[in-house]
Amino acid sequence: MSGDPGQDREFIFEFVSVGDSVRVAAVDVETGIEVVVFGPIKTRQDDLQRLAARKLMRRLTQEGVTPESKTPRPGGRGVIV
């Protein structure tokens, strides 16, 4: 899909119903960085997935992970296993 925020990266998505909402966790496979978004249960899954991917790409940019480096900057939070 053109304009897909994570088209050159591999993400894992987890969808969990929480009452009238859906919790979507997105994890970047290379770095292990995770973000979470919530949305109404009636929202289309691909819309929530796209939102989570955009948030994850923003987080990766904030952490200094670029398409060239693909590793978190030194001193970043979390542990790479």
Side-chain angles (χ1 to χ4, degrees):
M1 155 174 29
S2 179
D4 184 13
Q7 65 187 7
D8 294 332
R9 301 191 69 89
E10 187 176 359
F11 297 155
I12 297 173
F13 296 95
E14 176 186 46
F15 294 83
V16 177
S17 296
V18 181
D20 291 340
S21 301
V22 177
R23 177 187 184 272
V24 183
V27 180
D28 179 62
V29 172
E30 296 237 5
T31 63
I33 294 174
E34 177 181 9
V35 297
V36 175
V37 298
F38 285 86
I41 199 145
K42 293 185 179 182
T43 306
R44 290 181 16 188
Q45 182 173 340
D46 62 330
D47 289 341
L48 290 170
Q49 186 170 327
R50 187 169 39 256
L51 176 64
R54 289 176 56 107
K55 184 174 181 179
L56 183 52
M57 288 301 296
R58 182 170 186 264
R59 173 73 186 277
L60 290 170
T61 300
Q62 289 174 340
E63 293 289 329
V65 179
T66 62
E68 295 81 32
S69 68
K70 295 189 180 181
T71 57
R73 66 180 174 188
R77 294 179 8 179
V79 177
I80 299 176
V81 181

